Amino acid sequence: MPTIAILAQGAMGAGIGRRLAQRGCTVLTSLAGRSEASARRAAEAGMRDATPAELAGADIFLSVLPPAEAQATAEWLAPALAAAPRKAVYADCNAISPRTALLVAGIIAPTGAGFVDGGIIGGPPREDGYTPVLYVSGEEAGRLMPLNDHGLEVRLTPGGVGAASALKMSYAGITKGLVALASAMILAAGRNGAAEGLRAELERSQPQLLAWFGRMVPPMYDKAYRWVGEMEEIADFTGPEAAAIYQAIAGFYATMATDNAGPKEATAALSAFLRKG
């Protein structure tokens, strides 16, 4: 059974850790500087606190963090990876642009550890058997395929480092971009007295879209703060053709995160719109 190191212990990291631990893997993490909530999630998932040296000695290291932490985490672990007598494979599974993935790969390369570019599509693993897909690319990507035998779904993406990140950026740019556009228009319609009419027209001409909004918009409220950095990475990914669009969407999600942490006026308006009918 392989030993897997995972940083950190958010919903996705803990979910992956729980699935691997349930399938018999040893799952390590680091609780240094983490909150009590993170420590609780780690314990409930069967993840064991470990030193950097112990993390670097794992068979596979999975970086599952907010995008802004990807480079700093690689830099933090690099000395331990360099000192490890047996070289792990370091998989960056964060929602980062291909350019950022190459920067992280450059941090890992001098350590001698293998590097895999990864992108997760879907929500955290659930007890009902649901599993997200981890897309991987790069010369070392095959080293993650044994995780398919331990409850995860790993798929190879053709191409080198950056290909899996590009797939993740493209998919998230569509889905999370559409969530932002729908939310912004629903809120604007409500402020201008057109909510009822918009709802009726969506029911008439776009019932599938309306149903999709009902599934996808409410879960956004608690995730909006994390999606800010992801939209900024997508802006970097798209380049000048659409960077301004995704920078604006990042700003929208920052506003939604503030509302969700405070008055919850916007989230209440969205939920009320989506519950009607």
Side-chain angles (χ1 to χ4, degrees), residues 175-187 199 202 209-224 227 252-253 256 260 266-275:
T175 56
K176 293 171 184 174
L178 185 55
V179 167
L181 291 174
S183 299
M185 290 301 100
I186 290 169
L187 292 171
R199 170 81 197 204
L202 287 171
L209 265 183
L210 181 59
W212 191 86
F213 298 155
R215 293 193 308 271
M216 300 298 292
V217 170
M220 170 268 292
Y221 308 157
D222 292 333
K223 302 174 184 178
W227 289 3
F252 174 81
Y253 281 134
M256 289 300 302
N260 190 53
T267 58
L270 289 169
S271 293
F273 180 93
L274 294 167
R275 280 196 304 265

Side-chain angles (χ1 to χ4, degrees), residues 189-202:
R191 289 194 299 270
N192 290 276
E196 184 176 344
L198 176 62
R199 170 81 197 204
E201 180 55 32
L202 287 171

